[in-house]
Amino acid sequence: MVSNTKIIFAKIPTTFPVAGEHMIVEKSEIDLDAELPQGAILLKTLVLSVDPYMRGRMRDASIQSYSPAFPLNQAMSGHVVTQVLKSNNPKFAQGDLVYGLGSFAEYVLVPEAYTAYFEVRNEIKTSGLPISNYVGVLGMPGMTAYVGLIKFGKPVKGETLYVSAASGAVGQLVGQIGARLGLRVVGSAGSDEKVAYLKELGFDAAFNYKTTDYEEALSAHCPNGIDIYFENVGGKMLEAVINHANRFARIVCCGMISQYNTQNPEPIHNLIQVVAKSLEIRGFIVGDSPEMTEPFRKDVTEWLKAGEIKYREDIAEGIESTPEALIGVLRGKNFGKQVVHVADL
Amino acid sequence: MVSNTKIIFAKIPTTFPVAGEHMIVEKSEIDLDAELPQGAILLKTLVLSVDPYMRGRMRDASIQSYSPAFPLNQAMSGHVVTQVLKSNNPKFAQGDLVYGLGSFAEYVLVPEAYTAYFEVRNEIKTSGLPISNYVGVLGMPGMTAYVGLIKFGKPVKGETLYVSAASGAVGQLVGQIGARLGLRVVGSAGSDEKVAYLKELGFDAAFNYKTTDYEEALSAHCPNGIDIYFENVGGKMLEAVINHANRFARIVCCGMISQYNTQNPEPIHNLIQVVAKSLEIRGFIVGDSPEMTEPFRKDVTEWLKAGEIKYREDIAEGIESTPEALIGVLRGKNFGKQVVHVADL
C-alpha cells in the first residue's frame, strides 16, 4: 500500500471558497499491486490544472449548467496529465502519457466506462516542451484562446483587440495570437509586474486595472475603439468595453471571473448599445468546437517549439497545494497559468 | 402658393417627448409652380412612418450613433411614400411613386444631392396592396423582421421563438415568418386585445406582459426553453429571457424600446449566463443587409398577395397627427404598425 492524497469537495461555498472548509486534503491509501478490473487503467498524476470555471462546478448539484457539479465528499476533478502505471485496457499501455479529465488524486484507478475521458499523448515525451504546457497553452485554456479569438472573434488585420485578465491562462495566448494576426493588442492585468510581462509578450499596450480608471485607460490605449473584446472578467469591465466598442465589435465570452464569487452580480447598464452599435456578444465553451482541436494543437506546438510565443506558468508544488492554488486563481494571485505539479515522470 | 404643414424637431427630450414642446406642427407655404433647380424633384407625401428608433434621433447632435440626430428647428424625417409632382431629374418622372427617407412635410422639394435617398417604386400602383404597407410590412420594419429572424436568428424547424412587442410593426411579421418556418412561436404584447390578435395570426401562445409575471409566462409558454428571442424591448424582459434561454440560443436585438425614454436604464444582472449557455446576443441595423432587400420584397409581397400573412396597421389621419402618433408608439398605444396618412394618391 502507498499513500494517496486526494482533494475532496467538502462544502458548497457562497462566496470565495476556503481551503480546509470547502476543499479538503484527504490522505488515503491505495494498493498499486491490486488486480485491475477488466478495461480499467491505473494512472499516476503528474500535473493537474486549476481553472476559474471550477468555481462554477462548486455548486448544488440540482442546478444545471454546462459543466457538471462536483459531487460532495468526492475528489474534485479537472484536466491532468498522467502516466499509465498499469493497464487492463488495450487502448492504453504501461508508461503511456495520458491527457484528460481526471480526479485530483496522486493515483487514480479509472474504470473502463471512464477511460473515454482520457487520450494517449505520447508526443509529450518527445516534444521538448514542459509537461505542464499540456494542461495550459496546449490544453483547454490554450484552445479556449485559439477558438475564441479565431472562430468567434473573427479578427481582421488592423483591428483592435482588447483582452482582460491578459496575463492569465487564456489571455496571454489570446494576445500573442492577436499580434500574429496583425491586430493592435491591448491587455489589462492586476499588477504592474503582470503589465510589464504583457509588454514583453508583444502587447501594444497594457494597463493595471486595479490602479487605472477603465474608461480612461481604454480611451488612451484604444484610440480607434475596440473591435474584439476577449472577455474574461465581466461586470464593470464589460460595461466599459461596451462604451468603447466600435460598430460590429465582437465580444467573445469564455468567462466572467469577477462574477463567480459574488451573490450580487454587477449589472450591465448599457446593453442598449448592442443595438446602436450592432454588437455581437458570444459565449462559448471550447468543447463545442472539436473540429479545431487538430489545427490548434498543430499551430500552437509549432509556435512554442519555434520560440515564437511564450507562456508563463505559475507552478504550485504538491497535490496538497491544490485548494490554495485554485483559490489564488479566483483571487487573481497567480501570475501566468496556474498548474499543480504532483509528481515527476 | 399652397399651405405646407411640417413637423419640426423643436427641443431635445430627456424622457418621453411631448407634442407641442419637442415636436411642433408648423404651417408654411410653398409655391408648387416655382421653377425646379437642376436635378431637383418636388414630392407630395402620401404616407409617412413613425418608428421607435426615431426617439434615438431626438438627441444632441454631438452624440454619435448609427442614425444621425434630427437637426433642431428643422423638419423631422423618416420613411415615406410620396408622389412626384414635378421633376427636373431624369431618374424621376411626374406621377412616379417614390419610397425613401423624406422630410415630414406635405410637400418636399428635394435637391439633387438628396435624391439618392429615394427610389421609384411604381409597382405600388398596381400591386393591389395598401400604399401604407410600403412603409411597414414591405418597408424598413418588415425587412427588420425578415433579416433579423432569418439572417441573425438562424432558425431551425422545431425551435422555440419568443417575440416581445409582438403585435407591433416588426413583431407581427417575425411571428408569422417563424410559424412558416416551423418554429413554436410565442409572443407578448401590452393588452388582451393585442394578445388575441397574436393568436389570430397563428402564434402558438401569447401573453399580456403588463398583467403577467414574465418568468411564469415564459415557463408556461416555452416549456422547452427559448432558442431564438427577437428582442424589441430590453430591460427586465431581456433578463427573464436570458433565464429561459436554451444553450446556443440567439438573442436578436433590433430595439430596446423600454429603455429609450429613461435616464436610468434597467440593468441586466444575469449576463454570466452568456458564458454558461453559450448564448449569442446580436444587435443589427437593417441597412447593413442590403443583399436581403430583393428576397425580402419578393417573399413578403407574395405572401401578402396570397393572403398567407396579415399585417395590422394603426393609421393616424393627417400630417399634424404625427407627433402624437410617434409618442403613442413610444408608449405602446398603437395597435399594429403606426403610420400617418398624409394625402391620397
Side-chain angles (χ1 to χ4, degrees), chain B residues 46-255:
Chain B
L46 304 176
V47 296
L48 66 84
S49 179
V50 288
D51 295 284
Y53 80 90
M54 291 178 174
R55 178 62 184 81
R57 299 191 62 187
M58 301 176 82
R59 67 179 189 274
D60 189 307
S62 70
I63 303 167
Q64 293 293 308
S65 188
Y66 62 96
S67 195
F70 287 129
L72 272 173
N73 303 317
Q74 294 187 32
M76 296 173 66
S77 58
H79 288 94
V80 293
V81 176
T82 67
Q83 185 174 31
V84 178
L85 289 187
K86 287 168 68 178
S87 173
N88 195 2
N89 185 310
K91 291 185 190 143
F92 300 86
Q94 193 180 341
D96 277 352
L97 290 192
V98 165
Y99 170 77
L101 273 170
S103 289
F104 286 175
E106 289 175 287
Y107 300 97
V108 181
L109 177 68
V110 182
E112 183 169 23
Y114 291 91
T115 57
Y117 289 101
F118 296 92
E119 178 190 4
V120 174
R121 298 199 48 196
N122 283 325
E123 76 272 23
I124 299 175
K125 295 178 187 174
T126 55
S127 71
L129 299 171
I131 292 179
S132 51
N133 274 191
Y134 288 84
V135 294
V137 65
L138 287 163
M140 181 275 291
M143 185 154 159
T144 298
Y146 188 93
V147 169
L149 182 58
I150 293 173
K151 181 170 170 179
F152 298 111
K154 293 172 265 183
V156 176
K157 194 174 173 172
E159 288 188 330
T160 296
L161 164 69
Y162 170 58
V163 190
S164 55
S167 71
V170 176
Q172 51 181 321
L173 185 57
V174 172
Q176 291 178 90
I177 298 176
R180 293 181 69 87
L181 295 172
L183 306 177
R184 173 176 173 81
V185 179
V186 178
S188 60
S191 76
D192 291 346
E193 209 185 350
K194 291 177 181 176
V195 167
Y197 172 64
L198 295 179
K199 290 181 181 162
E200 262 177 55
L201 289 183
F203 280 61
D204 295 286
F207 64 95
N208 181 340
Y209 74 87
K210 290 186 178 165
T211 58
T212 320
D213 179 82
Y214 301 170
E215 294 280 350
E216 282 173 23
L218 294 176
S219 294
H221 298 307
C222 306
N224 299 318
I226 296 170
D227 300 296
I228 306 173
Y229 173 42
F230 205 102
E231 163 66 297
N232 290 301
V233 304
K236 287 189 173 51
M237 181 64 86
L238 174 56
E239 204 168 81
V241 169
I242 289 174
N243 287 337
H244 288 264
N246 288 329
R247 282 198 75 198
F248 304 116
R250 287 79 68 199
I251 297 180
V252 178
C253 307
C254 73

Side-chain angles (χ1 to χ4, degrees), chain A residues 66 247 268 276 279 281 283 288, chain B residues 66 247 268 276 279 281 283 288:
Chain A
Y66 62 95
R247 283 198 75 199
I268 305 295
L279 303 181
I281 302 179
D288 293 318
Chain B
Y66 62 96
R247 282 198 75 198
I268 305 295
L279 303 183
I281 302 180
D288 293 318

